[in-house]
Amino acid sequence: MKKIAVLTTGGDAPGMNAAIRAVVRTAIFSGAEIVGVEHGFKGLIENRFKQMGLSSVSGIINKGGTILQTLRCPEFHSREKREIAYRNLINNRIEGIIVIGGDGSRKGAFLITKETKIPSVFIPASIDNDVYGTDMTIGFDTAVNTGIDAIDKIRDTASSHERIFIVEVMGREHGFLALEIGLTGGAEIILIPEFKKDYTLEKICNIIIKGIKRGKDSSIIVAAEGFGNIKDWAGKIQKITGLETRYTVLGYIQRGGKPTAYSRKLGLVYGYEAVVSLIKSGKNKSLMVGMQNGKVMVIDMKKVINKEKRIDKKNYDINKIFAL
Ligand code: F6P
């Protein structure tokens, strides 16, 4: 394979830069030319290709965000716009493409191969960790650490003032991030969309009141953004329990920042594996790299596309014991 393109798309995730670094250096080591596409799929449509060299990825391993920049690109849903992107790929003599991004981005990578036969490899990177086929996405570990750092700080205020706090974390319509932050941050209650029926307002208030009676000086509730309106819930909880209840939305601080060692390592090993498998793959192959049971795997995209990742119910259940 003579020339490879790499792009980042969807929401940025800490560790994407480590993946770009690995892709660029592995491609050059393997004798291939490598170009970066700026602004994700939009950059493909707008022909924003730039040559990458060994030093173009120097000093980025520790940086959050993505040096190639990223966008959500609804235009890529249109066949007409994709045709423009494909012409640009062909005119730039691209023989293989690596797409770094979240669940939505994977469909884009798969489509490129389906419609052009240019092989693609998808590298999962998202703070949501909601990509089927991999136990871990690049950036998730960093976002979890950012989340628990925030919870630790909020707990100081919660216990000093004997308050209840609801902390909303990201995750779109999934609770992977909320579950991990809630579990490792020691939350009393974790509210996630996957098990919405598990908690009524009454049940939440009972748990809180029982905890206070047992001697707890505060309660932390971690809620996924997809669960519902936490401002509403906070007001109702305060009214029923008579306890001061505050809410905090962590927001975009979860997306940025220095990647943890684990997020960097995933970026590096996924990036390496993506290039090696792309070079070995034939025309018309769309692959994904991922982690399964502690091992880096290369998976045929046909086996994973359009499948929904399930939450680890056991971790959700055992947190109820730890929160006693
Ligand atoms: O997919 C990552 C994510 O941060 C979600 O957790 C969140 O819902 C969404 O992106 C926010 O998207 P945007 O950056 O388009 O506001």
Side-chain angles (χ1 to χ4, degrees), residues 88-89 92 123 177 212 222 224 232 243 249 275 300 304 316-317:
N88 289 332
L89 280 172
N92 283 282
I123 299 181
L177 189 58
I212 302 284
V222 171
D232 260 23
L243 298 161
V249 179
V275 173
D300 194 322
V304 289
Y316 175 77
D317 287 336

Side-chain angles (χ1 to χ4, degrees), residues 146-167:
T146 303
I148 59 170
D149 184 49
I151 303 259
D152 291 348
K153 287 174 177 144
I154 287 168
R155 194 180 288 285
D156 289 346
T157 302
S159 51
S160 302
H161 286 261
E162 298 194 322
R163 279 180 184 163
I164 299 163
F165 267 88
I166 309 185
V167 184

Side-chain angles (χ1 to χ4, degrees), residues 162 188 208 211-219 322-324:
E162 298 194 322
E188 270 69 25
I208 292 168
I212 302 284
K213 283 191 182 148
R214 279 197 308 273
K216 281 186 190 259
D217 57 13
S218 61
S219 295
F322 304 149
L324 283 176

